[in-house]
């Protein structure tokens, strides 16, 4: 297994769930739950990167490593870039971006995405995907789709249903389709990334790309700059994170059920 660092970007502000990293899940702040999951991976180091002293304090109290970063970062990737610079990492060093709102993230997926990047020396980024098995998900703009080439590298990411099944759907609208899909050819992108530190250094100087602005998908910035993204098929199901109040209720219930089962 190749050496890598897991970084958890965590900011206090959230439009849907203010103070999201500190929301209680199973008796602990959510960011602490995520940190504990990342610690179960094979990462040589797990760092929480934040701009908020409250987040800093709960991680420090739990015994974790935390790095204070600037407050003006627009994305988690920008925050990772500052981390890579602060730690003075070599260009080939691998960092895995573990989102701070995924307390159910299987540690094996953190290991897998790091290994995907290590095994493709020409790629700057690696990420994961899983099959889309129903049309509702395929046609949802909230589910990001990815198309790969024969070597597993990303050709494109989109909120639209790509590839388009011309014979079955014709020129019809993107609504009204339901039920199971006839073929297992569509992939849902999982927002778990591994980066080389050298890529993150270059990323700091780029402006948002036209395709990125259209789709609101920051990974398109790397593709438009000519960087390769390796996309592995997730070896385990990827549970949804906490993005809405409804997600919070669902995840809290899961942790509560697990606790009750241990009694």
């Amino acid at each position: 297994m190749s050496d890598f660092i897991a970084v958890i970007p965590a900011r206090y502000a959230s439009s849907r769930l203010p103070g999201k990293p500190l929301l209680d899940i199973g008796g602990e702040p959510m960011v602490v739950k995520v940190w504990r999951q990342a610690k179960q991976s094979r990462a040589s180091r797990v760092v929480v990167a934040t701009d908020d002293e409250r987040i800093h304090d709960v991680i420090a109290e739990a015994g974790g490593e935390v790095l204070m970063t600037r407050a003006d970062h627009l994305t988690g990737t920008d925050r990772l870039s500052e981390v890579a610079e602060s730690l003075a990492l070599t260009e080939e060093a691998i960092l895995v971006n573990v989102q701070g709102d995924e307390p159910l993230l299987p540690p094996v997926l953190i290991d897998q995405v790091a290994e995907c990047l290590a095994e493709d020396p020409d790629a700057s980024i690696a990420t994961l995907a899983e099959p889309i098995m129903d049309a509702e998900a395929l046609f949802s703009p909230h589910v990001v789709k990815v198309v790969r080439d024969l070597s597993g590298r990303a050709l494109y990411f989109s909120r639209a249903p790509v590839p388009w099944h011309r014979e079955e759907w014709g020129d019809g609208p993107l609504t009204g389709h339901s039920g199971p899909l006839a073929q297992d050819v569509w992939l849902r992108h999982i927002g778990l990334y591994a980066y080389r530190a050298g890529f993150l250094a270059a990323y700091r100087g780029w402006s948002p790309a036209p395709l990125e602005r259209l789709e609101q998908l920051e990974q398109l910035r790397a593709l438009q700059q000519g960087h390769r993204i390796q996309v592995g098929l997730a070896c385990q199901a990827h549970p949804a994170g906490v993005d809405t109040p409804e997600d919070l209720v669902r995840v809290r219930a899961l942790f509560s059920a697990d606790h009750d089962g241990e009694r």
Side-chain angles (χ1 to χ4, degrees):
M1 181 73 197
S2 300
D3 184 65
F4 69 94
I5 297 172
V7 181
I8 306 169
R11 64 187 185 95
Y12 186 84
S14 172
S15 57
R16 295 183 182 180
L17 288 172
K20 182 164 64 171
L22 300 181
L23 293 175
D24 183 271
I25 293 181
E28 289 186 311
M30 177 160 53
V31 68
V32 174
K33 290 292 188 188
V34 176
W35 171 77
R36 293 195 190 282
Q37 290 296 98
K39 287 289 287 183
Q40 294 179 51
S41 75
R42 296 182 181 179
S44 60
R45 190 173 181 180
V46 178
V47 180
V48 175
T50 187
D51 57 5
D52 191 277
E53 291 288 349
R54 290 163 291 188
I55 296 173
H56 173 281
D57 292 346
V58 298
I59 292 297
E61 184 178 349
E65 181 180 1
V66 57
L67 182 66
M68 294 300 296
T69 54
R70 300 198 317 271
D72 60 349
H73 291 304
L74 298 178
T75 68
T77 308
D78 292 306
R79 201 172 301 280
L80 246 71
S81 179
E82 182 182 349
V83 170
E85 183 179 29
S86 297
L87 298 180
L89 300 176
T90 66
E91 288 193 353
E92 291 302 311
I94 294 176
L95 299 88
V96 174
N97 183 344
V98 178
Q99 296 190 36
D101 58 3
E102 295 195 355
L104 299 171
L105 179 66
V108 67
L109 295 185
I110 300 174
D111 297 337
Q112 183 187 4
V113 76
E115 196 65 17
C116 279
L117 184 56
E119 292 177 351
D120 188 346
D122 293 326
S124 301
I125 306 172
T127 188
L128 300 178
E130 61 187 8
I132 297 175
M133 303 305 294
D134 66 275
E136 181 180 358
L138 177 62
F139 284 87
S140 170
H142 304 295
V143 176
V144 178
K145 277 68 67 172
V146 59
V147 179
R148 306 188 305 165
D149 66 16
L150 293 177
S151 65
R153 291 177 181 158
L155 291 171
Y156 192 64
F157 296 86
S158 181
R159 297 184 184 277
V162 291
W164 181 260
H165 195 323
R166 181 60 186 271
E167 288 188 6
E168 184 171 333
W169 302 332
D171 297 321
L174 304 187
T175 59
H177 299 277
S178 62
L181 297 174
Q183 301 177 56
D184 182 15
V185 296
W186 292 275
L187 295 175
R188 178 178 82 89
H189 175 232
I190 295 172
L192 181 64
Y193 295 95
Y195 301 99
R196 298 191 192 281
F199 165 82
L200 290 170
Y203 181 91
R204 286 196 293 271
W206 300 340
S207 299
L211 290 176
E212 176 187 0
R213 292 193 184 98
L214 285 173
E215 296 263 17
Q216 292 296 294
L217 298 173
E218 65 177 284
Q219 60 269 42
L220 292 175
R221 191 184 312 185
L223 285 184
Q224 285 209 278
Q225 290 284 346
H227 285 262
R228 298 178 178 92
I229 303 177
Q230 180 62 231
V231 184
L233 295 180
C235 62
Q236 188 172 323
H238 177 265
V242 178
D243 194 45
T244 66
E246 293 76 18
D247 294 335
L248 182 62
V249 171
R250 172 183 53 79
V251 171
R252 280 175 169 169
L254 288 172
F255 274 95
S256 177
D258 288 343
H259 178 72
D260 291 341
E262 292 174 358
R263 292 178 180 175

